[in-house]
Amino acid sequence: MCTPRFSRQSSLSLTYPLGLTLIEMLVTLLITSILALMGFRVIERFTISQEGLSYQSATQRGLALTWAQIEQDLEILSFLSPRQWSVQLARTPLGYRMGSVTWTLGEDGALIRTGLVDSTSMVFLRQVASVRLTLIHGDEERELGAYSPTEIERISRQAFGIAVAIQMKGEPAPLRKIFLAVSH
């Protein structure tokens, strides 16, 4: 039979178990989840801001194209006589007529340019709340439909401005651009 041997040295030394205790595991898990949550929120904010930038970029591109097309439509009118201006620049039940095109605001908030000759339509902007064209002559500014044909004929004999105001949905103020028009 074997008798156990005890030594004084072995009875005084403390041994630690290998591995982590339950408390240490829970603290490690808590710290890891907090770091993961913070990382997820950073990625989420980055994605949201990226989507916002893409939307703003598309809107700015659409505005640039819209301003350029309106300028081109008005430039064609500059070759007309003052009498023709009153017929070619008017507010109609469909929208604003500029020569052979009409600019309208669709029910879904789309700004649409339609050719009168071939009836082709092209959407330039979305999320538009309102569009307004005004004639500026001296200190006076009135919406395009407020002028009689004889007033437009009289005004178009001199330099005048056409202001286009586009109110985007969710924006506090309309975007406005003034085009100078000179009749030949």
Side-chain angles (χ1 to χ4, degrees), residues 80-151:
L80 300 176
S81 69
R83 176 162 281 158
Q84 292 170 319
W85 268 90
S86 62
V87 177
Q88 299 298 319
L89 189 62
R91 180 167 169 83
T92 68
L94 296 176
Y96 293 99
R97 181 175 174 200
M98 288 186 228
S100 63
V101 298
T102 300
W103 287 86
T104 58
L105 183 60
E107 292 179 13
D108 60 347
L111 184 60
I112 305 166
R113 179 183 180 268
T114 306
L116 298 176
V117 177
D118 56 2
S119 298
T120 56
S121 296
M122 184 173 181
V123 175
F124 274 81
L125 283 175
R126 299 208 181 273
Q127 301 294 320
V128 177
S130 66
V131 177
R132 186 169 183 244
L133 269 72
T134 55
L135 285 179
I136 302 170
H137 181 254
D139 293 337
E140 188 177 6
E141 179 175 351
R142 290 190 286 174
E143 190 168 7
L144 198 57
Y147 288 94
S148 70
T150 55
E151 286 179 304

